[in-house]
């Protein structure tokens, strides 16, 4: 079960089969994760208004990483995104919405729908297994993940709240670190599309090793994560 705000999602019937989508390069939302958004473009303000009237759910998705463009001039959408429930909304006073999205489940785009709204919408097939939070968490190499994270912090001279990290479940830790990661759109999409939590953690460690190798190569320092 995924608990998001005042709603519980336990089965496919709890999820929409069509959803308004917010294409945003580099944005990564994962089940159970929290994504703050600053909404200012008129069509997405309208999307949030409509979502609040309906089920409070929108789909976060990236444009296709290959840069493909439709005949309309809009970017082609990636094949996989993530449903998010709007759990808080604040009006800024200058025409913007400050929104928090709580990740529910990933989805695969079945087709983009013809719409009369200013924003886009898709018919989707949800990843129902994502509603089983914690599934596969015991297979995550937590020590390896933390070692990669610690080395990344050291190389970049950054700090972390290790007390909170120690308390976090494997699923929370993996998904939070993925969402916080500074990697590009293709890497973020690979993390999103990882078939399970173990693979997602392994992908994040591999990306981190590559980033560390690049950042230390100029000094002639090579470090391998064990």
């Amino acid at each position: 079960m995924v608990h998001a705000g005042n709603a519980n999602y336990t089965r496919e019937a709890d999820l929409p089969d069509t959803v308004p989508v917010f294409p945003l390069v580099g944005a990564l939302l994962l089940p159970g994760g929290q994504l703050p958004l600053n909404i200012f473009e008129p069509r997405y303000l309208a999307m949030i208004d409509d979502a609040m009237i309906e089920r409070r759910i929108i789909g976060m998705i990236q444009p296709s990483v290959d840069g493909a463009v439709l005949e309309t001039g809009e970017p082609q959408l990636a094949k996989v995104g993530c449903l998010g429930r709007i759990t808080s909304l604040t009006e800024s006073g200058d025409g913007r919405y400050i929104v928090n999205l709580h990740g529910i489940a990933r989805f695969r785009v079945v087709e983009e729908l013809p719409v009369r709204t200013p924003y886009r919408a898709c018919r989707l097939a949800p990843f129902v297994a994502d509603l089983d939070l914690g599934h596969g968490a015991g297979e995550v190499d937590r020590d390896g993940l933390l070692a990669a994270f610690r080395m990344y912090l050291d190389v970049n001279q950054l700090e972390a709240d290790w007390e909170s990290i120690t308390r976090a479940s494997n699923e929370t830790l993996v998904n939070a670190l993925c969402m916080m990661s500074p990697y590009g759109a293709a890497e973020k999409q690979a993390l999103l599309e990882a078939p399970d939590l173990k693979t997602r953690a392994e992908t994040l460690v591999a990306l981190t090793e590559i980033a560390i190798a690049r950042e230390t190569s100029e000094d002639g320092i090579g470090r391998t994560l064990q």
Side-chain angles (χ1 to χ4, degrees), residues 52-75:
M52 292 297 290
I53 295 171
E54 298 292 335
R55 302 176 71 166
R56 294 182 171 232
I57 295 176
I58 66 171
M60 289 302 303
I61 196 164
Q62 290 200 104
S64 177
V65 296
D66 63 7
V69 176
L70 302 175
E71 293 181 359
T72 60
E74 294 278 16

Side-chain angles (χ1 to χ4, degrees), residues 26-30 35 62 175 178-179 181 188-189 191-192:
L28 177 61
L29 178 64
L30 290 167
L35 181 65
Q62 290 200 104
N175 288 343
C178 287
M179 289 178 62
S181 66
K188 291 287 184 75
Q189 194 65 28
L191 292 168
L192 177 67

Side-chain angles (χ1 to χ4, degrees), residues 137-150:
E139 300 176 10
V140 172
D141 179 5
R142 186 183 180 95
D143 291 340
L145 180 64
L146 290 177
F149 183 50
R150 187 183 294 276

Side-chain angles (χ1 to χ4, degrees), residues 103-212:
I104 302 169
R106 294 171 297 162
F107 64 88
R108 187 172 301 279
V109 174
V110 175
E111 64 174 335
E112 185 166 354
L113 300 172
V115 293
R116 295 182 179 179
T117 59
Y119 52 84
R120 301 164 74 176
C122 292
R123 187 162 66 89
L124 60 90
F127 288 50
V128 179
D130 285 351
L131 298 179
D132 183 11
L133 282 179
H135 178 71
E139 300 176 10
V140 172
D141 179 5
R142 186 183 180 95
D143 291 340
L145 180 64
L146 290 177
F149 183 50
R150 187 183 294 276
M151 187 169 287
Y152 183 86
L153 293 176
D154 289 345
V155 168
N156 290 279
Q157 299 181 334
L158 299 172
E159 300 289 338
D161 181 357
W162 285 103
E163 183 178 350
S164 296
I165 290 170
T166 300
R167 293 197 306 264
S169 67
N170 281 356
E171 181 174 40
T172 298
L173 182 64
V174 171
N175 288 343
L177 292 181
C178 287
M179 289 178 62
M180 292 164 48
S181 66
Y183 305 127
E187 292 81 3
K188 291 287 184 75
Q189 194 65 28
L191 292 168
L192 177 67
E193 295 185 15
D196 51 50
L197 201 64
K198 178 177 181 288
T199 307
R200 185 174 300 140
E202 292 171 346
T203 302
L204 180 60
V205 170
L207 291 171
T208 303
E209 288 181 331
I210 293 169
I212 291 170

